[in-house]
Amino acid sequence: MSTILIIEDEPRIAGFVAKGLKSAGFASHRTASGVEGAVLAVQGDFDLVVLDIGLPDIDGFEVLERIRGQGVSVPVILLTARSSVADRVAGLESGADDYMPKPFSFEELLARIRLRLRSEAAPAWGDPTHLTHNGLTLDLRTRRASVGDRTVDLSAREFALAETFLRNPGQVLSREQLLSNVWGFDFDPGSNVVDVYVRYLRGKLGRERFETVRGMGYRLV
Ligand code: CA
């Protein structure tokens, strides 16, 4: 699961962004302070930063300089009411990845966040079309799985579930997270469909890959 840092002093906007992120399946952390935000962005384990330009202590450009000055390349999307070309250029020159003029709809921001997370994730995996972990490979174009040299047929749901595990290797994923990611939020949270599908994946890809973490969920090992 990706975690987003929101550096925004306007409670209404910070709240609206945090709420939207939550329902889109992201975790988030909020701060109204530029100084604190810069420290968190450098030290914290965030996948992306949403950064307002107008902040009460130091402005968003200064925050960005502090982040980039520490050699941290976390993607940053700037929010600002000032949609002037000069601000946009200054933002991108100081190392922002994208720019979102206020007012914006949450869907617009979410689309940019998803785009940035995807382009960020690609280089780490080397090849954006394949996910690999411990001998298990998913080809995202052909939607096929392979274990070593053996090709394994997966149903669409099985593939989506396997993909969620491979995007979060070593992390404990709760049933709720897996449900919302693979089946969507409208699925009955009391359902045991996750357990059933993990069993299918174990049968096809190897029992030992998917560890049960009692009372918490599952982990790809
Ligand atoms: Ca502000």
Side-chain angles (χ1 to χ4, degrees), residues 174-212:
S174 69
R175 285 178 180 75
E176 293 71 27
Q177 283 174 318
L178 294 167
L179 254 188
S180 67
N181 227 47
V182 177
W183 283 268
F185 283 89
D186 49 5
F187 212 90
D188 174 13
S191 157
N192 70 341
V193 68
V194 170
D195 308 272
V196 171
Y197 272 79
V198 167
R199 204 151 66 227
Y200 293 160
L201 287 186
R202 281 175 171 160
K204 291 184 173 184
L205 303 174
R207 202 166 171 83
E208 65 293 342
R209 284 184 196 281
F210 304 95
E211 183 191 1
T212 303

Side-chain angles (χ1 to χ4, degrees), residues 131-142:
L131 295 175
T132 300
H133 184 77
N134 208 3
L136 168 63
T137 299
L138 297 184
D139 184 330
L140 301 174
R141 286 168 311 177
T142 62

Side-chain angles (χ1 to χ4, degrees), residues 38 42 64-73:
V42 168
L64 196 51
E65 264 168 40
R66 292 189 184 188
I67 296 172
R68 296 299 185 234
Q70 299 285 315
V72 173
S73 63

Side-chain angles (χ1 to χ4, degrees), residues 88-161:
R88 185 190 171 114
V89 169
L92 296 176
E93 276 183 352
S94 47
D97 298 272
D98 210 339
Y99 194 89
M100 189 84 248
K102 293 177 189 170
F104 55 89
S105 75
F106 181 72
E107 288 308 314
E108 280 178 279
L109 178 63
L110 184 62
R112 289 180 195 221
I113 288 174
R114 289 203 161 121
L115 186 70
R116 285 303 144 197
L117 288 176
R118 264 201 304 275
S119 54
E120 184 67 10
W125 297 324
D127 176 356
T129 63
H130 289 77
L131 295 175
T132 300
H133 184 77
N134 208 3
L136 168 63
T137 299
L138 297 184
D139 184 330
L140 301 174
R141 286 168 311 177
T142 62
R143 317 295 290 173
R144 297 181 83 172
S146 54
V147 178
D149 299 334
R150 184 170 59 96
T151 302
V152 184
D153 285 322
L154 297 180
S155 71
R157 290 284 196 210
E158 289 168 350
F159 192 93
L161 184 60

Side-chain angles (χ1 to χ4, degrees), residues 8-10 52 54-55 102:
E8 162 66 89
D9 60 315
E10 222 172 300
D52 188 31
L55 293 167
K102 293 177 189 170

